[in-house]
């Protein structure tokens, strides 16, 4: 038979002890996680969403949301592209909003044709510049940047 006092050694019971790790022991050297898509590729994706938006209509707003989110936390070259993309979307939306009602008096067709050519030139120019990692010369321009 085991004596209760014999089962205890140095004031400790023989029951299993759970070790608790201290915070310092659990702290690991952390690296900032690498993004899934680079900023350069993301700017290119926004331009592609604008191109596909000609046919679907629903992808261009996704592109402008991405541009609005990324414009403040990137370098100067890509910031110029995101600003260019944001202006491309909102000015293009203005052209569409003016062109569709004016289509009833036929002048709107010319406005919509201008919007199509204008936005296509801006998108192609932006794709070329982002591939060469060059900033947009004038991202605030109403013409072609």
């Amino acid at each position: 038979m085991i004596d209760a006092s014999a089962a205890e050694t140095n004031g400790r019971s023989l029951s299993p002890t759970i070790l608790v790790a201290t915070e310092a022991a659990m702290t690991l050297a952390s690296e900032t996680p690498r993004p899934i898509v680079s900023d350069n590729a993301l700017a290119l994706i926004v331009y592609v969403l604008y191109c596909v938006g000609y046919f679907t209509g629903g992808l261009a707003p996704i592109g402008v949301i991405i541009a609005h989110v990324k414009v403040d936390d990137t370098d100067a070259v890509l910031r110029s592209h995101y600003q260019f993309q944001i202006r491309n979307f909102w000015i293009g939306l203005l052209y569409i909003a003016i062109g569709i009602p004016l289509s009833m008096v036929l002048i709107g067709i010319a406005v919509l044709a201008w919007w199509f050519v204008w936005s296509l030139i801006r998108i192609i120019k932006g794709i070329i510049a982002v591939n060469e990692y060059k900033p947009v010369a004038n991202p605030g321009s109403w013409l072609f940047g």
Side-chain angles (χ1 to χ4, degrees):
M1 206 162 143
I2 298 177
D3 183 21
S5 62
E8 293 182 16
T9 57
N10 296 337
R12 295 184 187 164
S13 67
L14 292 177
S15 64
T17 307
I18 299 174
L19 298 176
V20 178
T22 62
E23 187 175 334
M26 292 179 62
T27 305
L28 301 174
S30 64
E31 296 180 8
T32 55
R34 295 178 67 196
I36 295 172
V37 178
S38 71
D39 284 343
N40 197 28
L42 201 55
L44 185 62
I45 288 170
V46 173
Y47 284 120
V48 170
L49 287 173
Y50 284 177
C51 285
V52 176
Y54 285 129
F55 306 106
T56 63
L59 294 179
I62 294 171
V64 79
I65 290 170
I66 292 171
H68 273 291
V69 168
K70 294 297 290 180
V71 72
D72 291 329
D73 64 345
T74 189
D75 64 353
V77 171
L78 293 177
R79 184 175 301 119
S80 72
H81 282 280
Y82 290 130
Q83 291 170 342
F84 189 66
Q85 292 165 342
I86 290 167
R87 289 188 59 85
N88 195 24
F89 178 84
W90 291 112
I91 294 170
L93 190 62
L94 179 65
Y95 280 134
I96 291 170
I98 292 170
I100 288 176
L102 287 178
S103 292
M104 299 204 186
V105 285
L106 299 178
I107 189 138
I109 295 171
V111 172
L112 292 174
W114 165 251
W115 161 76
F116 181 77
V117 170
W118 171 85
S119 63
L120 193 61
I121 290 171
R122 286 175 64 104
I123 291 169
I124 292 170
K125 190 173 181 179
I127 288 172
I128 291 170
V130 82
N131 277 333
E132 296 173 353
Y133 200 71
K134 293 180 180 177
V136 176
N138 187 5
S141 170
W142 277 74
L143 285 177
F144 304 114

